[in-house]
Amino acid sequence: MTFTKPSASTEPLKNSIFAMAALAARDRQVHPDLVIDATIGSLYEDNGRLAAYDSVFDHFDQIDHVAKAKYASGSSGNPDYREAVYAWVRQGTDLHLPHSVVATPGGTGALSAVMANALEPGMSVLLPAICWGNYFLMASQLGLKSAVYEVFDEQDHFNLASLADAIARLQQEQDRILIVLNDPCQNPTGYSLLDEEWEAVIQLLNQASRKTPVILINDIAYLDYAAHLETCRNYMNHFNEISDQVMIITAFSASKTLTSYGLRCGAAIVQAQNQEEVDTFARCLSQTARAVWSSIPNAAMDNFVWVTRQNREAFLAEKQIHVDLLQKRASIFVQEARACGLDIYPFKEGFFLSLRLPQAMVQPAHQALIQNHIYTVPVHAGIRVAICSIPTDRITGLAPRIQGILQPLKAD
């Protein structure tokens, strides 16, 4: 006898990131000098402490208890928060599409709610072949199937041809297309599309939309940790060029931007050429919000508004220290990987980079690393290394250490 619905998945989460982190923590108690924990995508200082910005949390601590305790003004989020999110995301761009913002519990809430409202159960969402594994779990929980496109071509550029082929195949099966594109600072590779690659993506979506409506989710969870903050949003100007059969929904994570991962706060920014279409989809998202999480934390929204309006310069200065720290760690790993012949996917910026491996080698390599006290996350045709959580002095020598562990497996 079972009390779950027949279609429910009762399988344990495989290689859960949190489970790997717990395993690393236990190992560290025995082998503190050997353990490398490259699992969870949270930003850590070089002293091993989770980064929690003074420019963010000093004010949060001062927010009135009543403001922390009360509900938001509505399921779509507080009006000033919604305005502040849109202003923050589009800053420095000429983005001027009709839009609407719905508050969500982190970027995860935005992604899941969009999937739930864009597709009927049994339809397929189009995902990057190498991506954050939670995309697949979201789809499964919503009764959706997953199709994939390859992220890189043979020259390590964005694989537009694979995306085009995947769209064409799905258009033979269903009457609308939903695509997820995590950019910039892709999780797990650290790749960011070039401006001309984004221009080509928009042209492809417009062409595909002649046959069916197309929705693109641009997951920008790590946007604010791009190496070049002054230009990292420029690609959004191409959104203005979408046809009236294309919708772009930006999944924003205030939790990531403000290093407040557990204080779930984010938004879905719905954009299209027609305001009525935008408002219709936003209403659907608001109904999902009301039914699933009711509203997100009021104080988290208040704090985001204050930080980005009243404390902007102090926040940007503190964040830049950590953007530089990420780039320093990445530079060490990438240079040493090249020197020792360790193959990695093309990295540009962000929290993660990934080893490139044949799919059949991923699990043996993952286990070999664990046996040598290195804790990572397996992904499609690779292994994710969260440089965001590894102190800089532990990054030095890590690439050749990994290469030494994996070399016998490659020889086999």
Side-chain angles (χ1 to χ4, degrees), residues 199-263:
E199 183 178 15
V201 167
I202 297 301
Q203 291 174 355
L204 171 61
L205 301 186
N206 286 344
Q207 182 179 4
S209 73
R210 296 171 186 167
K211 186 171 183 179
T212 64
V214 177
I215 302 171
L216 174 70
I217 303 177
N218 180 204
D219 180 358
I220 61 167
Y222 300 95
L223 170 77
D224 286 309
Y225 292 87
H228 304 289
L229 293 173
E230 67 280 3
T231 58
C232 68
R233 290 162 163 81
N234 287 357
Y235 73 94
M236 294 183 186
N237 290 323
H238 292 297
F239 292 2
N240 294 321
E241 302 157 12
I242 61 174
S243 77
D244 59 6
Q245 286 287 96
V246 174
M247 175 175 282
I248 295 180
I249 304 180
T250 303
F252 172 68
S253 174
S255 302
K256 286 286 193 305
T257 293
L258 302 188
T259 67
S260 52
Y261 312 103
L263 191 61

Side-chain angles (χ1 to χ4, degrees), residues 28 37 40-57 225 257-261 315 317-326 328-329 351 386-395:
R28 187 183 292 111
D37 184 358
I40 293 181
S42 300
L43 183 55
Y44 279 74
E45 309 280 5
D46 273 346
N47 62 10
R49 290 177 58 87
L50 181 68
Y53 296 163
D54 292 339
S55 57
V56 171
F57 289 101
Y225 292 87
T257 293
L258 302 188
T259 67
S260 52
Y261 312 103
F315 167 65
E318 189 171 11
K319 183 167 68 66
Q320 187 60 46
I321 293 170
H322 293 81
V323 171
D324 294 342
L325 180 62
L326 284 168
K328 180 179 180 181
R329 291 173 181 175
F351 274 40
I387 55 173
C388 56
S389 61
I390 309 173
T392 305
D393 63 352
R394 305 300 299 276
I395 293 279

Side-chain angles (χ1 to χ4, degrees), residues 230-404:
E230 67 280 3
T231 58
C232 68
R233 290 162 163 81
N234 287 357
Y235 73 94
M236 294 183 186
N237 290 323
H238 292 297
F239 292 2
N240 294 321
E241 302 157 12
I242 61 174
S243 77
D244 59 6
Q245 286 287 96
V246 174
M247 175 175 282
I248 295 180
I249 304 180
T250 303
F252 172 68
S253 174
S255 302
K256 286 286 193 305
T257 293
L258 302 188
T259 67
S260 52
Y261 312 103
L263 191 61
R264 307 304 297 152
C265 187
I269 305 174
V270 184
Q271 300 153 108
Q273 294 291 1
N274 184 292
Q275 187 68 58
E276 184 178 354
E277 295 285 354
V278 167
D279 292 342
T280 297
F281 203 99
R283 284 197 298 272
C284 293
L285 293 178
S286 296
Q287 291 181 28
T288 297
R290 178 59 179 154
V292 178
W293 58 78
S294 182
S295 66
I296 71 170
N298 182 68
M301 289 189 283
D302 283 354
N303 204 49
F304 180 83
V305 172
W306 184 86
V307 167
T308 58
R309 290 179 177 174
Q310 276 73 51
N311 206 36
R312 180 190 182 90
E313 295 308 316
F315 167 65
L316 288 174
E318 189 171 11
K319 183 167 68 66
Q320 187 60 46
I321 293 170
H322 293 81
V323 171
D324 294 342
L325 180 62
L326 284 168
Q327 287 302 109
K328 180 179 180 181
R329 291 173 181 175
S331 178
I332 293 170
F333 192 98
V334 170
Q335 289 180 23
E336 292 190 345
R338 288 173 180 163
C340 72
L342 181 65
D343 193 14
I344 62 174
Y345 285 98
F347 172 89
K348 292 186 180 178
E349 52 200 354
F351 274 40
F352 313 101
L353 49 76
S354 287
L355 315 180
R356 178 155 41 193
L357 297 167
Q359 185 59 39
M361 189 176 166
V362 170
Q363 286 302 328
H366 183 240
Q367 290 303 314
L369 291 174
I370 290 174
Q371 291 168 8
N372 286 272
H373 313 286
I374 299 174
Y375 294 85
T376 56
V377 176
V379 294
H380 171 75
I383 288 178
R384 189 185 82 173
V385 179
I387 55 173
C388 56
S389 61
I390 309 173
T392 305
D393 63 352
R394 305 300 299 276
I395 293 279
T396 301
L398 179 58
R401 181 179 166 189
I402 291 174
Q403 176 72 330

